[in-house]
Structures are given as C-alpha cells and as structure tokens.
Amino acid sequence: MLEQLDQLYRESLETLRAAGSTAGLEAWYRQALGRKGQVTLITRQVGQLSPEERPAFGKRVNEIKNELEAAYEARLAELQAAELEAQLAADSLDVTLPGRRPWRGRLHPSTQTLREIYRIWGDMGFQIYRSRDVETDEYNFELLNIPQDHPARDMWDTFYTTTPGVLLRTHTSPGQIHAMRQYCPEPIRVILPGMCYRYEQITARSEIQFHQVEGLAVGRNITLADLKGTLADFARRMFGAERQVRFRANYFPFTEPSAEMDVECHLCQGAGCQLCKYSGWLEILGCGMVHPTVLRNGGYDPAVYSGFAFGMGPERIAMLKYGIEDIRYFWGNDLRFLEQF
Ligand code: PHE
C-alpha cells in the first residue's frame, strides 16, 4: 500500500511538471488533490489496512499531500509569472513607431459652399430661415404670382405627389411667403437655404435635385439700389474684392423688375475662356424687387413696404469656383471627386 502511495506521488509530480498553463495546472489539481482526486481516493483505502499499519500510512499520506500542495503552489506561481510575461510581451507598445493617421471625413463641396454663403449673409445681417421641401401648389406657384395655366410654369418642371396639390418644391421661393406670413409686419432679412427638385433630364448641367439659397429683404424703404449694392457686395465677398458684377434684365413672375447677376469670370479675369464660354461673365443668381402681389400675399401692403429677393444655386457657384464641369459629380458619391475638397 505504501508503495502504491509512493508511485502515485512520483507520477503526480511528473504530470505536475508537464502542466504547461495555469488552466492545465488547475485540471491537474482536481485530478490529484481534488475531492475526487487520486490522493483523496487512496486515503480512503486506509480501512483495508491493519491497525498497526495505519499510522505509517496516514503519516505518509499527509506528507505527500503537503508536498504536492507545495509543488502545486510553486508551479502555479511560475506559470502565472510566465503567462503575465507573455501577455506583456504581446501587448508591448513601441512608442518610437510613427503614429497612424486616423481616417478623416470631410465636408461635401455643397456643404462647404453653403456654409460660406451662410457666413457671408450672416455677416450682412441675414438670418437663416428653414422651410419645407414638400410644398403645396399654392405656395410653390400661386402665391408667387404663378396661377394655374400660367405659361411661366414651364420654367419649373415639377415632381407632383399622388396627393393633389402637393409637390416637391421646385425652388426655395415659396419660403418667401412662409417667412412673410410669420414676420409680418416686421422688417425681414433672411436667407432660405434648401434642396429643390425638378423633373428634368439629368445632364452635365442639370440635376433633378440641387440646393438653392433664397434671400429676402422686406422693409419700408428698400430700393433696387439696395438689391444691387447688397448682391454686388456678396459677390465680392464670395469671389474676391476685385470682381466686377453686372445685372441683366430678366423675367420672374414673383419679382418686378427682375434681373440676373453675372460675375466677372475669375478664371480669365473677364478676358474670355472655356469656363465662361468666352463671354467673360458667369451667371450666378436670379433676383428682383418683390412683386406687389407677392408682398400682398405675404401680408405686407405694397404701398408701404417693398423688398428684394434673390435665388442662387450653391452647386452652380461651386462649379464656377472650382471649375467642376459636371453637376452629376455632386451626388455621385465618388470619393475621387469628394476627396479633392
Ligand atoms: N426662384 C427663382 C428660380 O428658381 C430664382 C429667384 C429667386 C429669382 C428670387 C428671383 C427672386 O429660378
């Protein structure tokens, strides 16, 4: 019996040394010294021994238990140290390595242009007024002096919804009516940015959706000179102090008189180039004095109040500013395009 005990001891010591990890060591412990472990089981055989043999056997069992415990503790400390060492080595940080640059997004060129436009108009005392993308025929057309069957409706190819009289705004001008009805009879200085939608063939020069930034000033003594001076100032702030501007007469149903503003081509300084189609000028916005009917629809008495309005396209301005040839790039989500801004 004592021999059996010694053999078990030797074997256990051997398998203990073979345990290569703390997990393996725990398994070993359960097998050797656990409640159903080999050493525990062999102790139970004490009953088979004669009374004389028992004390020697008991003593030996205790010795073996203690020694195996001690060996286990020592091995455990060893393995834990080794495992910690390995983990530290794996996690080690080489502080001399060059840093990795995190991938940074950037603002879409439309957003950049919009923000620049907001900043300039903000500096000139204009607040941002947001209005809705889904409009009624009444706001998008009728209140802007474009009745049903008016031939000027052809200027805006429209996306209609399945609900009669509800459409996607074709321009930001309906916001003029919303702003006037909200502020009347206070004076107004706002810009109205937003997405517009037109049912058009998509080409290099026309998209079915694009931004506009509308502007509206209403007050008691606003004249055409204010319109010209304010817009010319905007153009200088946007395109450079030396840029010349010119106004060309035009027609819009909601302004009278109406005009379009051109800026001197910044690429050729007005000499004529491909960008300006050899005219020396780039068209950037439509504008005019708010039509009396529109003022009245907004709640203002045209005998007392006057105002000017304008509408510009940030994508168009960005195209002119950066020489972008195709408007389809804006919503194409091609990183090769977007990363250039
Ligand atoms: N709404 C016009 C357009 O979409 C632009 C415009 C706005 C013209 C305000 C005059 C005044 O073309």
Side-chain angles (χ1 to χ4, degrees), residues 156 171 173 176 198 212 214 252 254-255 286-288 309-311:
W156 298 277
H171 51 177
S173 301
Q176 290 188 30
R198 288 191 198 169
Q212 272 191 349
E214 188 91 4
F252 295 106
F254 32 87
T255 46
C287 59
F310 57 85

Side-chain angles (χ1 to χ4, degrees), residues 258-277:
S258 304
E260 279 183 321
M261 187 175 84
D262 300 338
V263 284
E264 196 185 16
C265 178
H266 53 89
L267 205 64
C268 61
Q269 257 93 49
C273 67
Q274 219 173 350
L275 181 64
C276 60
K277 303 216 185 68

Side-chain angles (χ1 to χ4, degrees), residues 2 44 50 68 98 109 173 235 252 254 261 282 304 315 334:
L2 277 175
R44 300 218 179 113
S50 64
L68 286 178
S173 301
F252 295 106
F254 32 87
M261 187 175 84
L282 300 166
V304 181
E315 279 82 32
D334 186 335

